[in-house]
Coordinates of all heavy atoms in Angstrom, one line a residue:
M514 N 82.8 103.3 87.0 CA 83.6 103.8 85.9 C 84.4 105.1 86.3 O 85.4 105.2 85.9 CB 82.7 104.1 84.7 CG 83.4 104.6 83.5 SD 84.6 103.4 82.8 CE 85.1 104.4 81.3
L515 N 83.8 105.9 87.2 CA 84.4 107.1 87.6 C 85.8 106.9 88.4 O 86.8 107.5 88.2 CB 83.5 108.0 88.4 CG 84.1 109.3 88.9 CD1 84.5 110.1 87.7 CD2 83.1 110.0 89.7
A516 N 85.7 105.7 89.2 CA 87.0 105.4 89.9 C 88.0 104.9 89.0 O 89.2 105.3 89.2 CB 86.6 104.2 91.0
R517 N 87.7 104.1 88.0 CA 88.7 103.7 87.0 C 89.3 105.0 86.3 O 90.5 105.0 86.0 CB 88.1 102.7 86.0 CG 87.8 101.3 86.6 CD 87.2 100.5 85.5 NE 87.9 100.4 84.4 CZ 87.4 100.1 83.2 NH1 86.1 99.7 83.1 NH2 88.1 100.0 82.1
F518 N 88.5 105.9 85.9 CA 88.9 107.1 85.3 C 89.8 107.9 86.1 O 90.9 108.3 85.7 CB 87.7 108.0 84.8 CG 88.3 109.2 84.1 CD1 88.6 109.2 82.7 CD2 88.4 110.4 84.8 CE1 89.0 110.3 82.1 CE2 88.8 111.6 84.2 CZ 89.1 111.5 82.8
T519 N 89.5 108.0 87.4 CA 90.3 108.8 88.4 C 91.6 108.1 88.6 O 92.7 108.8 88.5 CB 89.5 108.9 89.7 OG1 88.3 109.5 89.5 CG2 90.4 109.6 90.8
I520 N 91.7 106.8 88.6 CA 93.0 106.2 88.8 C 93.8 106.3 87.5 O 95.0 106.6 87.6 CB 92.8 104.6 89.1 CG1 92.1 104.5 90.5 CG2 94.1 103.8 89.0 CD1 91.6 103.1 90.7
A521 N 93.2 106.2 86.3 CA 94.0 106.3 85.1 C 94.4 107.8 84.9 O 95.6 108.0 84.6 CB 93.0 105.9 83.9
Y522 N 93.6 108.8 85.4 CA 94.0 110.2 85.3 C 95.2 110.4 86.2 O 96.1 111.1 85.8 CB 92.8 111.1 85.7 CG 93.1 112.5 85.8 CD1 93.2 113.3 84.5 CD2 93.5 113.2 86.9 CE1 93.5 114.6 84.6 CE2 93.8 114.5 86.9 CZ 93.9 115.2 85.8 OH 94.2 116.6 85.9
E523 N 95.1 109.9 87.4 CA 96.2 110.1 88.4 C 97.6 109.5 87.8 O 98.6 110.1 88.0 CB 96.0 109.5 89.7 CG 94.8 110.2 90.4 CD 95.2 111.7 90.9 OE1 96.5 111.8 91.2 OE2 94.4 112.5 90.9
L524 N 97.4 108.3 87.2 CA 98.6 107.7 86.7 C 99.3 108.3 85.4 O 100.4 108.4 85.3 CB 98.4 106.2 86.4 CG 98.1 105.3 87.6 CD1 97.7 103.9 87.1 CD2 99.4 105.2 88.4
L525 N 98.3 108.8 84.6 CA 98.7 109.3 83.2 C 98.8 110.9 83.2 O 99.5 111.4 82.3 CB 97.8 108.9 82.2 CG 97.8 107.3 82.0 CD1 96.7 106.9 81.1 CD2 99.1 106.7 81.6
G526 N 98.1 111.5 84.1 CA 98.2 113.0 84.1 C 97.5 113.9 83.2 O 97.4 115.0 83.3
S527 N 96.6 113.2 82.4 CA 95.7 114.0 81.5 C 94.5 113.3 81.3 O 94.4 112.1 81.2 CB 96.4 114.4 80.2 OG 96.2 113.3 79.2
A528 N 93.3 114.0 81.2 CA 92.0 113.4 80.9 C 92.0 112.8 79.6 O 91.4 111.8 79.4 CB 90.9 114.5 81.0
A529 N 92.6 113.3 78.6 CA 92.6 112.7 77.2 C 93.4 111.4 77.2 O 92.8 110.4 76.7 CB 93.3 113.7 76.2
D530 N 94.5 111.3 77.9 CA 95.2 110.0 78.0 C 94.4 108.9 78.7 O 94.3 107.9 78.4 CB 96.6 110.2 78.6 CG 97.5 110.9 77.7 OD1 97.3 111.0 76.4 OD2 98.6 111.4 78.2
A531 N 93.8 109.5 79.8 CA 93.0 108.5 80.7 C 91.8 108.0 79.9 O 91.5 106.7 79.9 CB 92.5 109.2 82.0
G532 N 91.2 108.8 79.2 CA 90.0 108.4 78.4 C 90.4 107.4 77.2 O 89.8 106.4 76.9
D533 N 91.6 107.7 76.6 CA 92.1 106.8 75.6 C 92.4 105.4 76.1 O 91.9 104.4 75.5 CB 93.4 107.3 74.9 CG 93.2 108.5 74.0 OD1 92.0 108.8 73.7 OD2 94.1 109.2 73.6
V534 N 93.0 105.3 77.2 CA 93.4 104.1 77.8 C 92.1 103.2 78.2 O 92.0 102.0 77.9 CB 94.2 104.3 79.0 CG1 94.4 103.0 79.9 CG2 95.7 104.6 78.6
L535 N 91.2 103.9 78.7 CA 89.9 103.2 79.2 C 89.0 102.8 78.1 O 88.2 101.9 78.2 CB 89.1 104.1 80.1 CG 89.9 104.3 81.5 CD1 89.0 105.3 82.3 CD2 90.1 103.0 82.2
Q536 N 89.2 103.4 76.9 CA 88.3 103.0 75.7 C 89.0 101.8 74.9 O 88.2 101.1 74.2 CB 88.2 104.2 74.8 CG 87.4 105.2 75.3 CD 87.2 106.5 74.4 OE1 87.5 106.4 73.3 NE2 86.7 107.5 74.9
R537 N 90.2 101.5 75.1 CA 90.8 100.4 74.4 C 90.6 99.1 75.2 O 90.7 99.1 76.4 CB 92.4 100.6 74.3 CG 92.8 101.5 73.3 CD 94.4 101.5 73.2 NE 94.9 101.8 74.5 CZ 96.0 102.7 74.7 NH1 96.5 103.1 73.6 NH2 96.4 103.0 75.8
P538 N 90.2 98.1 74.4 CA 90.1 96.7 75.2 C 91.4 96.3 75.7 O 92.4 96.3 74.9 CB 89.6 95.8 74.1 CG 89.1 96.6 72.9 CD 89.9 98.0 73.0
A539 N 91.5 96.0 77.0 CA 92.9 95.6 77.5 C 93.4 94.3 76.8 O 92.6 93.4 76.7 CB 92.7 95.4 79.0
M540 N 94.5 94.3 76.4 CA 95.2 93.2 75.8 C 94.5 92.6 74.6 O 94.8 91.4 74.2 CB 95.4 92.1 76.9 CG 96.3 92.6 78.0 SD 96.6 91.4 79.3 CE 97.0 89.9 78.5
A541 N 93.7 93.3 73.9 CA 93.0 92.9 72.7 C 93.9 92.3 71.5 O 93.6 91.3 71.0 CB 92.0 93.9 72.2
D542 N 95.1 92.9 71.5 CA 96.0 92.6 70.3 C 97.2 91.7 70.8 O 98.1 91.6 70.0 CB 96.4 93.8 69.5 CG 97.2 94.7 70.3 OD1 97.2 94.7 71.6 OD2 97.8 95.6 69.7
M543 N 97.2 91.3 72.1 CA 98.4 90.7 72.6 C 98.3 89.1 72.3 O 97.3 88.5 72.2 CB 98.4 90.8 74.1 CG 98.5 92.2 74.6 SD 100.3 92.6 74.5 CE 100.2 94.2 75.3
A544 N 99.5 88.7 72.0 CA 99.8 87.2 71.8 C 100.6 86.8 73.1 O 101.4 87.6 73.6 CB 100.7 87.0 70.6
V545 N 100.2 85.6 73.6 CA 100.9 85.1 74.8 C 101.6 83.8 74.5 O 101.1 83.0 73.8 CB 99.8 84.8 75.9 CG1 100.5 84.3 77.1 CG2 99.0 86.0 76.1
E546 N 102.9 83.8 75.0 CA 103.7 82.6 74.9 C 104.3 82.2 76.2 O 104.6 83.1 77.0 CB 104.8 82.7 73.8 CG 105.8 83.8 74.0 CD 106.7 83.9 72.8 OE1 107.1 82.9 72.2 OE2 107.0 85.1 72.4
V547 N 104.6 81.0 76.4 CA 105.3 80.5 77.6 C 106.8 80.7 77.4 O 107.4 80.4 76.3 CB 105.0 79.0 77.8 CG1 105.7 78.5 79.1 CG2 103.5 78.8 78.1
G548 N 107.5 81.1 78.5 CA 108.9 81.3 78.4 C 109.5 81.4 79.8 O 109.0 80.9 80.7
T549 N 110.7 81.9 79.8 CA 111.4 82.1 81.1 C 112.0 83.5 81.2 O 112.3 84.1 80.2 CB 112.6 81.1 81.2 OG1 113.5 81.2 80.3 CG2 112.0 79.6 81.3
Y550 N 112.2 83.9 82.4 CA 112.9 85.1 82.7 C 113.8 84.9 83.9 O 113.3 84.5 85.0 CB 111.9 86.2 82.9 CG 112.6 87.6 83.2 CD1 112.8 88.4 82.1 CD2 112.8 88.1 84.5 CE1 113.4 89.7 82.3 CE2 113.5 89.3 84.6 CZ 113.6 90.1 83.5 OH 114.3 91.3 83.7
N551 N 115.1 85.0 83.7 CA 116.1 84.7 84.8 C 115.8 83.2 85.4 O 115.7 83.0 86.6 CB 116.0 85.7 86.0 CG 116.6 87.0 85.5 OD1 117.4 87.1 84.5 ND2 116.3 88.1 86.3
A552 N 115.5 82.3 84.5 CA 115.3 80.9 84.8 C 114.0 80.7 85.6 O 113.8 79.7 86.2 CB 116.4 80.3 85.6
V553 N 113.1 81.6 85.6 CA 111.8 81.5 86.3 C 110.8 81.4 85.2 O 110.7 82.1 84.2 CB 111.5 82.8 87.2 CG1 110.1 82.7 87.8 CG2 112.6 82.9 88.3
P554 N 109.7 80.5 85.4 CA 108.7 80.3 84.4 C 108.0 81.7 84.3 O 107.7 82.4 85.2 CB 107.7 79.3 85.0 CG 108.6 78.5 86.0 CD 109.5 79.6 86.4
A555 N 107.6 82.0 83.0 CA 106.9 83.2 82.7 C 105.9 83.2 81.5 O 106.1 82.3 80.6 CB 108.0 84.3 82.4
L556 N 105.1 84.1 81.4 CA 104.3 84.4 80.3 C 104.9 85.6 79.6 O 105.0 86.6 80.2 CB 102.8 84.5 80.6 CG 102.1 83.3 81.3 CD1 100.7 83.8 81.7 CD2 102.1 82.2 80.4
L557 N 105.1 85.5 78.3 CA 105.5 86.6 77.5 C 104.4 87.2 76.7 O 103.8 86.5 75.9 CB 106.7 86.2 76.6 CG 107.9 85.3 77.2 CD1 108.9 84.9 76.2 CD2 108.4 86.1 78.3
L558 N 104.1 88.4 76.9 CA 102.9 89.1 76.2 C 103.5 90.0 75.0 O 104.3 90.9 75.4 CB 102.1 89.9 77.1 CG 101.2 89.0 78.1 CD1 102.0 88.4 79.2 CD2 100.0 89.9 78.6
R559 N 103.1 89.7 73.9 CA 103.7 90.5 72.7 C 102.6 91.3 72.0 O 101.4 90.7 71.9 CB 104.3 89.6 71.7 CG 105.5 88.9 72.2 CD 106.2 88.1 71.2 NE 107.4 87.3 71.7 CZ 108.6 87.9 72.0 NH1 108.8 89.1 71.7 NH2 109.5 87.2 72.5
T560 N 102.9 92.4 71.5 CA 101.9 93.2 70.8 C 101.7 92.6 69.4 O 102.4 91.7 69.1 CB 102.4 94.7 70.6 OG1 103.6 94.7 69.9 CG2 102.5 95.3 72.0
A561 N 100.8 93.2 68.6 CA 100.4 92.6 67.4 C 101.6 92.6 66.4 O 101.8 91.8 65.5 CB 99.3 93.4 66.7
D562 N 102.6 93.6 66.6 CA 103.7 93.8 65.7 C 104.9 92.9 66.2 O 106.0 93.0 65.7 CB 104.1 95.2 65.5 CG 104.5 95.9 66.8 OD1 104.5 95.3 67.9 OD2 104.9 97.1 66.7
G563 N 104.7 92.1 67.2 CA 105.7 91.2 67.9 C 106.6 91.8 68.9 O 107.5 91.1 69.4
R564 N 106.4 93.0 69.3 CA 107.2 93.6 70.3 C 106.8 93.0 71.7 O 105.6 93.0 72.0 CB 106.9 95.1 70.3 CG 107.9 95.9 71.3 CD 107.5 97.5 71.3 NE 106.1 97.7 71.4 CZ 105.6 97.8 72.6 NH1 106.2 97.6 73.8 NH2 104.3 98.1 72.7
L565 N 107.8 92.7 72.5 CA 107.6 92.2 73.9 C 107.1 93.3 74.7 O 107.8 94.4 74.8 CB 108.9 91.6 74.4 CG 108.7 90.9 75.8 CD1 107.7 89.8 75.8 CD2 110.1 90.3 76.2
D566 N 105.9 93.2 75.3 CA 105.4 94.3 76.1 C 105.4 94.0 77.5 O 105.7 94.9 78.3 CB 103.9 94.5 75.6 CG 103.2 95.6 76.5 OD1 103.4 96.8 76.1 OD2 102.5 95.2 77.4
T567 N 105.1 92.9 77.9 CA 105.1 92.4 79.4 C 105.6 91.0 79.6 O 105.3 90.2 78.8 CB 103.7 92.5 79.9 OG1 103.1 93.8 79.6 CG2 103.5 92.3 81.4
V568 N 106.3 90.9 80.8 CA 106.7 89.5 81.2 C 105.9 89.3 82.5 O 106.1 90.1 83.4 CB 108.2 89.3 81.3 CG1 108.5 88.0 82.0 CG2 108.9 89.5 80.0
E569 N 105.2 88.2 82.6 CA 104.5 87.9 83.9 C 105.2 86.6 84.5 O 105.2 85.6 83.9 CB 103.0 87.5 83.6 CG 102.1 88.6 83.2 CD 101.7 89.5 84.4 OE1 101.8 89.1 85.6 OE2 101.3 90.7 84.1
L570 N 106.0 86.9 85.6 CA 106.8 85.8 86.2 C 105.8 85.1 87.1 O 104.8 85.6 87.7 CB 107.8 86.4 87.1 CG 108.9 87.2 86.4 CD1 109.8 87.7 87.4 CD2 109.7 86.3 85.5
I571 N 105.9 83.7 87.1 CA 105.1 82.8 87.9 C 106.0 82.1 89.0 O 106.7 81.2 88.5 CB 104.4 81.8 86.9 CG1 103.6 82.5 85.8 CG2 103.5 80.9 87.7 CD1 103.2 81.6 84.6
E572 N 105.9 82.5 90.2 CA 106.6 82.0 91.1 C 105.8 80.7 91.7 O 104.6 80.9 92.0 CB 106.8 82.9 92.3 CG 107.7 82.5 93.4 CD 107.9 83.7 94.4 OE1 107.0 83.8 95.3 OE2 108.9 84.3 94.4
T573 N 106.5 79.7 91.9 CA 105.8 78.4 92.4 C 106.6 77.8 93.6 O 107.7 78.1 93.8 CB 105.8 77.3 91.3 OG1 107.1 77.0 90.9 CG2 105.0 77.8 90.1
S574 N 105.8 77.1 94.3 CA 106.4 76.3 95.5 C 105.7 74.9 95.4 O 104.5 74.8 95.6 CB 106.1 76.9 96.7 OG 106.6 76.1 97.7
G575 N 106.4 73.8 94.9 CA 105.7 72.6 94.7 C 104.8 72.7 93.6 O 105.2 73.2 92.5
D576 N 103.6 72.4 93.8 CA 102.5 72.4 92.7 C 101.7 73.7 92.8 O 100.5 73.7 92.2 CB 101.7 71.2 92.6 CG 100.9 70.8 93.8 OD1 101.1 71.6 94.9 OD2 100.1 70.0 93.9
R577 N 102.0 74.6 93.7 CA 101.2 75.8 93.9 C 101.9 77.0 93.4 O 103.1 77.2 93.5 CB 101.1 76.0 95.5 CG 100.3 74.7 96.1 CD 100.0 75.1 97.4 NE 98.9 76.1 97.5 CZ 97.8 75.9 98.1 NH1 97.7 74.9 98.9 NH2 96.8 76.8 98.1
V578 N 101.0 77.9 92.8 CA 101.5 79.2 92.4 C 101.5 80.1 93.6 O 100.5 80.3 94.4 CB 100.7 79.8 91.4 CG1 101.0 81.3 91.0 CG2 100.6 79.0 90.1
T579 N 102.7 80.7 94.0 CA 102.8 81.5 95.2 C 103.0 83.0 94.9 O 102.9 83.8 95.8 CB 104.0 81.0 96.0 OG1 105.2 81.1 95.3 CG2 103.8 79.6 96.6
G580 N 103.2 83.3 93.7 CA 103.3 84.8 93.3 C 103.3 85.0 91.8 O 103.7 84.2 91.0
L581 N 102.8 86.2 91.4 CA 102.8 86.7 90.0 C 103.5 88.0 90.0 O 103.0 88.9 90.8 CB 101.4 86.7 89.5 CG 100.7 85.4 89.4 CD1 99.2 85.6 88.9 CD2 101.3 84.5 88.3
Y582 N 104.3 88.2 89.1 CA 105.1 89.5 89.1 C 105.1 90.0 87.7 O 105.5 89.2 86.8 CB 106.5 89.4 89.6 CG 106.5 88.8 91.0 CD1 106.7 87.4 91.2 CD2 106.3 89.6 92.1 CE1 106.7 86.8 92.5 CE2 106.4 89.1 93.4 CZ 106.5 87.7 93.6 OH 106.5 87.2 94.9
A583 N 104.8 91.3 87.4 CA 104.8 91.8 86.0 C 106.1 92.7 85.8 O 106.4 93.5 86.8 CB 103.6 92.7 85.8
I584 N 106.7 92.5 84.7 CA 107.8 93.4 84.3 C 107.4 94.1 83.0 O 107.0 93.4 82.1 CB 109.1 92.5 84.1 CG1 109.4 91.9 85.4 CG2 110.2 93.4 83.6 CD1 110.6 90.8 85.3
R585 N 107.5 95.4 83.0 CA 107.1 96.1 81.8 C 108.3 97.1 81.3 O 108.2 97.8 80.4 CB 105.8 96.9 82.0 CG 104.7 95.9 82.3 CD 103.4 96.4 82.0 NE 103.3 96.7 80.5 CZ 102.6 97.7 80.0 NH1 102.0 98.6 80.8 NH2 102.5 97.9 78.7
N586 N 109.3 97.2 82.2 CA 110.4 98.1 81.9 C 111.1 97.7 80.7 O 111.7 96.6 80.7 CB 111.3 98.2 83.1 CG 112.5 99.1 82.9 OD1 112.9 99.4 81.8 ND2 113.0 99.7 84.0
P587 N 111.2 98.4 79.5 CA 111.7 97.9 78.4 C 113.2 97.5 78.5 O 113.7 96.6 77.9 CB 111.6 99.1 77.4 CG 110.6 99.9 77.9 CD 110.6 99.7 79.4
D588 N 114.0 98.2 79.4 CA 115.3 97.9 79.7 C 115.5 96.5 80.3 O 116.6 95.9 80.2 CB 116.0 98.9 80.6 CG 116.0 100.3 80.0 OD1 116.0 100.4 78.7 OD2 116.0 101.3 80.6
K589 N 114.5 96.0 81.0 CA 114.6 94.7 81.6 C 114.0 93.5 80.8 O 114.2 92.4 81.2 CB 113.9 94.7 83.0 CG 114.6 95.7 84.0 CD 114.0 95.7 85.3 CE 114.8 96.6 86.2 NZ 114.2 96.6 87.6
L590 N 113.3 93.9 79.7 CA 112.6 92.8 78.9 C 113.5 92.0 78.0 O 113.2 91.0 77.6 CB 111.5 93.4 78.2 CG 110.3 94.0 78.9 CD1 109.3 94.7 78.0 CD2 109.7 92.9 79.7
G591 N 114.8 92.5 77.8 CA 115.7 91.9 76.9 C 116.1 90.5 77.2 O 116.6 89.8 76.3
T592 N 116.1 90.1 78.5 CA 116.6 88.7 78.8 C 115.5 87.7 78.8 O 115.8 86.6 79.2 CB 117.3 88.8 80.2 OG1 116.3 89.2 81.1 CG2 118.5 89.7 80.2
A593 N 114.3 88.1 78.4 CA 113.2 87.1 78.4 C 113.4 86.2 77.2 O 113.8 86.6 76.2 CB 111.9 87.8 78.3
E594 N 113.1 84.9 77.3 CA 113.3 83.9 76.3 C 112.1 83.1 76.1 O 111.5 82.5 77.1 CB 114.5 83.0 76.6 CG 115.8 83.7 76.7 CD 116.3 84.0 75.3 OE1 115.9 83.4 74.3 OE2 117.0 85.0 75.1
P595 N 111.6 82.8 75.0 CA 110.5 81.8 74.7 C 111.0 80.4 74.9 O 112.2 80.1 74.8 CB 110.1 82.1 73.2 CG 111.3 82.7 72.6 CD 112.1 83.5 73.7
T596 N 110.1 79.6 75.4 CA 110.5 78.2 75.6 C 110.7 77.5 74.1 O 109.8 77.7 73.3 CB 109.4 77.5 76.4 OG1 109.2 78.1 77.6 CG2 109.7 76.0 76.6
R597 N 111.7 76.7 74.1 CA 112.0 76.1 72.7 C 111.9 74.6 73.0 O 112.4 74.1 74.0 CB 113.4 76.5 72.2 CG 113.5 77.9 71.8 CD 114.9 78.3 71.5 NE 115.1 79.6 70.9 CZ 115.0 80.7 71.5 NH1 114.6 80.7 72.8 NH2 115.1 81.9 71.0
A598 N 111.3 74.0 72.1 CA 111.3 72.5 72.1 C 112.6 71.8 71.8 O 113.5 72.4 71.1 CB 110.3 72.0 71.1
L599 N 112.9 70.8 72.6 CA 114.1 70.1 72.4 C 114.1 69.2 71.2 O 113.1 68.6 71.0 CB 114.5 69.2 73.6 CG 114.7 70.0 74.9 CD1 114.9 69.0 76.0 CD2 116.0 70.9 74.8
E600 N 115.2 69.3 70.4 CA 115.2 68.4 69.2 C 116.3 67.4 69.3 O 117.3 67.7 69.8 CB 115.4 69.3 67.9 CG 114.2 70.2 67.7 CD 114.4 71.1 66.4 OE1 115.3 70.8 65.6 OE2 113.7 72.1 66.4
R601 N 116.1 66.2 68.8 CA 117.2 65.2 68.7 C 117.6 64.9 67.3 O 116.9 64.9 66.5 CB 116.7 64.0 69.5 CG 116.5 64.2 70.9 CD 116.1 63.0 71.6 NE 116.0 63.3 73.1 CZ 116.3 62.5 74.0 NH1 116.7 61.2 73.8 NH2 116.2 62.8 75.2

């Protein structure tokens, strides 16, 4: 636990913020949907109020996953799109 606290403290800069982050269950209120980002398959993670929080890009080669990339910069999240069913 001390190592996790030290890392959180280094990233956030205060003991209070580090303690708050470590006490919250990670992703407890997140909704996940399948989508795309720059034509790459992705998982879109939304907060309980529907705000897009994270895009996880899934890089593939054939039938293998070759990379996972997270995008959390709010300026870059605007182009993520949920997958929509085709209607005829």
Side-chain angles (χ1 to χ4, degrees):
M514 179 67 176
L515 183 58
R517 288 179 49 205
F518 179 83
T519 303
I520 293 168
Y522 177 80
E523 290 295 324
L524 291 172
L525 300 171
S527 81
D530 289 341
D533 287 346
V534 166
L535 293 177
Q536 289 178 14
R537 283 190 299 225
M540 298 176 50
D542 63 344
M543 294 284 188
V545 179
E546 63 184 318
V547 176
T549 60
Y550 183 88
N551 289 343
V553 176
L556 297 177
L557 311 178
L558 287 77
R559 296 186 184 278
T560 60
D562 64 0
R564 181 181 56 84
L565 184 59
D566 179 80
T567 305
V568 173
E569 290 284 339
L570 298 175
I571 305 167
E572 185 178 83
T573 61
S574 178
D576 61 352
R577 299 187 74 129
V578 173
T579 57
L581 297 172
Y582 306 94
I584 299 171
R585 300 204 63 217
N586 181 335
D588 295 333
K589 295 183 178 184
L590 293 176
T592 60
E594 293 289 332
T596 301
R597 291 174 175 69
L599 295 176
E600 297 179 19
R601 291 185 179 213

